[in-house]
Each structure stands twice: as C-alpha cells, then as structure tokens.
Amino acid sequence: MFALALRSIRQRPGRFTSTLLSAFLGAAIIMTFNAMHDTAGQPGVDSVSAESLTTSASVVGGYGSLLVFFAVASTLTVNVRQRADEIELLRCSGATPAQIKRMVVGESVVVALVGALLAIGPAMLGGMALLDVFQDSGQVARSVDYSFGSVALMSGLWITVLAAAGAAFLAVRRATHRRHPRGGVRKFFAYAALAVGGIAVCSTFGFSATDAALMAPAAYGAILLSVGFALLSPRLLKGLLDRLSLTSPSGYLAVRNMRRRAVELSGVLMPLILFTGMATATLYMQAVESDAIEAAGIPKSIDAKNLETLNLVVVGIIVVFSCIMLVNSLYAATTYRSREFGQQRLAGATPGQVLGMIGVEGLVVTVTGVLLGTVAALAGLIPFTIVRTDATWPDQGLGIWFTIVAVAATVTLGTSLFTARRTLRTPAVAAVTMAA
C-alpha cells in the first residue's frame, strides 16, 4: 500500500499540497495546545496554573481535532473527485476497489504524517508563546516552565494521521462505487448533531445566570447545529436552488451549474457554515459575558480570564482554518473547471459572462453558508443571553456579525474570481484540449 502511495506522490506531488498544508496547520494547533498538558504535568506546578493549562488544552484540543478532520476531509474530497478519470482507468486496468482505497488512504496517511512531523518545530514555538500569554494575563504563575512532551507529540501525530485516513477512506469509497451512495451515514450524523445540539441549547435554561458553566451548553449546542447544517448542506443548497430563478446570462449559467454541482459545492459550504456559526456564537457570547461582569462591578476571576482567552483563541483558530479550507477547496475546484469554462466560451459565452457566473455562484454560496451559520449561532446565543441578562437580544449590535460576513464574503468571492480569472487566461481551445 505505502509503496504504491509513495510512487503516486513522487509522480505528482503538487496534487497533495492542500492536504499537506491542512495536516501541517492542524497538527501544529493540536500539539501547541496539548503541550499545555505536558507543562501542567510537571512537578511543582500549582493547582491554579495546572487547571488553566489543562482547561485550555482540553477545550481547544477538541475544537482542533474537529477542524482538522473537516479541513483534511474537504481537501481530500476535492482531490479524489478530480481524480475520477484516473480511478476509473485503474478500475478498467484490473485494480479492485479495495486496492484503490488502500492506495488513496496510503497517500493521505503519508502526506499527513509528513505534515505532522513538519509541524513539531512551529508547535514548540507556538506553545512557548501561548504559555507567555497565560503568564502575562496572570492565569499561570511565572515559575512554571514550558514542556513539550509525549502528550503533545503523540496527540498531534495520531489525530492528524487518523483524520486523514478516515477522510480519505470516506472520499474514495464514494468514488469507487459505480452507483451513487444514498448518504445514509452522512444523514445519520447530521440529524444526530442537530438533535444533540438542540438538546444542549435547550438545557441552557436549566442553569442560573451566575453559573460558571452557563456558556458551555449554549456554545456546544451552536457548534453541533453548525456541524449538522454543514453535513446537510448539499440537500439544503439544492432546496434553495430549486426556488431560485435568475434571467441574466451569468445568473442562468450559475444556477444551472450549481444545481448540477450541489454535492461538490458542499465542500465550500461546510467551512463557511462552521466559520459563521462558531465565530458568531463565540464572539457574541463572550461580549455578553464581559458586559455582564462589568455591569456587576466585580473584577474578572481567573476562570473568567481563562474563558475569554480560550474564546478569542478558538475564534482565531476557526478563522485561520476556515480560510484555509475555503481557499484550498475553491482554488482546486475552480482550477479543475478549466475545460468547462473553455466549452462555455466556445459555445458563445464571453469571459465576462463566465466571471459573472462565478461571481453569482460565490454570492449564492456565501449567502447560504452565512444564513445557515447564523441560524445555528442564534439558536445558542439567544438562550444564553436570556439566562445571563434577562434580555432576548445582545446589546452589542451587528458590528461583530458584519465583520464575520465580510471575512466570509471576501475569502469566498475573492478566491473564486481570482482563480477563475487566471484560468480564463488559457485560450478556450487549449483549455478544452488539455483537459480532455
């Protein structure tokens, strides 16, 4: 398995760049925060410092693991889909589905392992910087020394490799089946995430306004709802497109292509929904919490400082990962459509109309992702705000939300249009010939 995978990687290393980057960043984040477990486990560390370190490692480590899987899954899904012709040729040459699965999974494991190993050095530096942040804020004593040990190393390697293997297996499983799968497993996890997320959100009303764990069920509920919507994104997008009708040439082309490519576009919708939902819920909940503490006229406790630091760091991780996932997916998917663009131009479409089509597609995807992510965020934010402040809506206004939407729109539309513009530089006949 690994011999065939290594040969494939050596032949075309460029196709694995996105997976390598996702694995590298994911492993770096996981090891950076799990190094806090190693640091907290040293002899002589006081209980307050140890609790601050282990809490940050546990919370962000969980987020990091989830995002690593989605990031690697997103890039691998696009990669495997673009290799459909190669996989079909292997099948016609006598390769069994099991052999193809072993090859693709082996490629992914090798690339993920390389990315994780490359991340060790940056993770060590990141862990030192993170410990300095905790010490500067008073959450960890100055006497605590940094340690990068087995917990950080093994968690980074194992989580990254397992995420890559699992994502590759799921992606190639769809590609090697002649009949389209019904997506039963995906729907099961989607509805399970929505159900558990709804229960978590409703449980917020069982807490008191001063309960230290009040934010937990609301935040995790919003995250699970975001995950559920992300998994159902192909069905939700198809439902929207069935009701959307645009009469302009670019709009007509966009809607027609998106109806045909709804499953492929789910790779873009997933990070958009997760980014919008998680960032909106986390930032607004933290703002509501900070204002409530300030209104009460009491200084922030160590636990409150820990929570604020974690929330800001988590949002930073979400932004970085979501942007990387979006850029990887959009760049690969748009570049792969060079033949389609060439055929449209040979059929009479102008480059401006093709760019307009890409712009409409990006706008529809952005609106859909932002809408679903916002619904998931509000489902957790409103119960939290009611219990914490007795108000229905937070007082912070729409500034935070507009910033989140601006980031999502800039990354989505900017990457799509930039990549499409570069692709259109190739003459139409050459694009069709080279991709054939």
Side-chain angles (χ1 to χ4, degrees), residues 74-118:
S74 177
T75 55
L76 282 173
T77 299
V78 174
N79 180 285
V80 172
R81 186 176 293 118
Q82 292 177 351
R83 298 170 64 185
D85 292 340
E86 175 189 340
I87 291 174
E88 184 62 25
L89 180 60
L90 289 172
R91 288 172 58 95
C92 294
S93 301
T96 65
Q99 290 173 328
I100 297 173
K101 288 175 187 176
R102 287 197 295 269
M103 180 190 73
V104 176
V105 171
E107 292 171 355
S108 304
V109 167
V110 171
V111 173
L113 182 60
V114 171
L117 292 173
L118 292 174

Side-chain angles (χ1 to χ4, degrees), residues 118-133:
L118 292 174
I120 293 175
M124 288 181 175
L125 298 176
M128 293 178 187
L130 182 62
L131 180 60
D132 289 338
V133 170

